[in-house]
Amino acid sequence: MATRSRKQATRGGSRTAVPAWIWLGVGVLLGLAVALVFLGSDWAPMLRKNAGPQPNPEAVAPRESDPPIVEAKDKPRKNYDFYSVLPEMEVVIPDAEISAKARAEAQLPASTTTPAVSANSRYLLQAGSYPSAKAADEVKAKLAILGFVAQVTPVTINGKTWNRVRLGPYASASELEVAKAALSDNGFNAIALKEEINR
């Protein structure tokens, strides 16, 4: 028997396939070329070092006699400093001071009945202050569900009415500290106040 040649027939001659790494290399080179063209032209001004504001060599400083470019408004600037918003008869008590007073009260003998605050002052907790009476009532209701008794007190400051949600009064710093901690455990960041009572 005659041996046959096992060659496959190909049309149009023999072709060799281009390896994948060559296609990858060509793609990378084309990408680099496009990036260099993009960066070298005016298409990407923000990527250059001098893309920020440039000084104007022709600019001159205004003289005092020149009128201002923008007229100043006669409206006074509003200052929402927390301590100036509270009336002068209220004092915010820092947490460290409350703790120190509570420790001092705990060291007193049980038979001693000295008042923690003077006769014309009292401790309060303010759970919030809202321009809307409805928002203040909602907070008061949330506190009531948690077992706290709160009052909503409207007060006018700089012509605007605020509705303060307050708890208390508390007879001692110990009671104040316990109530503040309970409010904090329930998600209320209350402010401890010492209020002077006008008699």
Side-chain angles (χ1 to χ4, degrees), residues 4 6 12 17 40 56 64 95 117 145 148 150 159 161 169-170 176 197:
R4 287 190 192 168
R6 295 199 177 238
N56 183 0
E64 288 184 27
D95 291 342
V117 288
I145 290 172
F148 296 102
T161 301
Y170 298 99
L176 180 72
I197 303 168

Side-chain angles (χ1 to χ4, degrees), residues 64-104:
E64 288 184 27
S65 61
D66 292 344
I69 296 172
V70 178
E71 292 296 325
K73 306 265 185 204
D74 289 339
K75 279 183 156 180
R77 291 180 65 191
K78 292 185 179 182
N79 185 8
Y80 291 108
D81 183 23
F82 177 79
Y83 295 102
S84 66
V85 171
L86 286 176
E88 291 79 24
M89 62 183 185
E90 297 173 345
V91 178
V92 177
I93 306 170
D95 291 342
E97 187 177 332
I98 295 170
S99 298
K101 285 184 179 183
R103 281 192 302 271

Side-chain angles (χ1 to χ4, degrees), residues 6-120:
R6 295 199 177 238
K7 289 185 182 179
Q8 288 185 342
T10 58
R11 293 186 186 175
S14 76
R15 278 189 171 166
T16 58
V18 179
W21 63 270
I22 291 178
W23 287 113
L24 179 67
V26 169
V28 169
L29 290 175
L30 282 174
L32 288 173
V34 169
L36 288 175
V37 168
F38 181 73
L39 291 175
S41 65
D42 287 336
W43 294 343
M46 297 303 291
L47 297 177
R48 290 198 196 89
K49 289 181 182 177
N50 60 355
Q54 300 297 317
N56 183 0
E58 299 172 7
V60 292
R63 292 184 295 262
E64 288 184 27
S65 61
D66 292 344
I69 296 172
V70 178
E71 292 296 325
K73 306 265 185 204
D74 289 339
K75 279 183 156 180
R77 291 180 65 191
K78 292 185 179 182
N79 185 8
Y80 291 108
D81 183 23
F82 177 79
Y83 295 102
S84 66
V85 171
L86 286 176
E88 291 79 24
M89 62 183 185
E90 297 173 345
V91 178
V92 177
I93 306 170
D95 291 342
E97 187 177 332
I98 295 170
S99 298
K101 285 184 179 183
R103 281 192 302 271
E105 288 173 4
Q107 292 175 355
L108 291 175
S111 62
T112 308
T113 56
T114 57
V117 288
S118 65
N120 27 337

Side-chain angles (χ1 to χ4, degrees), residues 126-145:
Q126 183 168 311
S129 184
Y130 305 93
S132 164
K134 182 180 178 187
D137 286 336
E138 288 174 0
V139 172
K140 179 182 175 183
K142 288 178 185 177
L143 289 168
I145 290 172

Side-chain angles (χ1 to χ4, degrees), residues 123-127 143 148-151 165-170 183 190:
Y123 289 127
L124 297 170
L125 283 173
Q126 183 168 311
L143 289 168
F148 296 102
V149 178
Q151 301 85 27
V165 182
R166 291 188 166 179
L167 294 89
Y170 298 99
L183 284 173

Side-chain angles (χ1 to χ4, degrees), residues 139-164:
V139 172
K140 179 182 175 183
K142 288 178 185 177
L143 289 168
I145 290 172
L146 295 171
F148 296 102
V149 178
Q151 301 85 27
V152 176
T153 309
V155 66
T156 303
I157 299 170
N158 295 334
K160 188 169 183 179
T161 301
W162 291 90
N163 297 284
R164 295 175 172 170

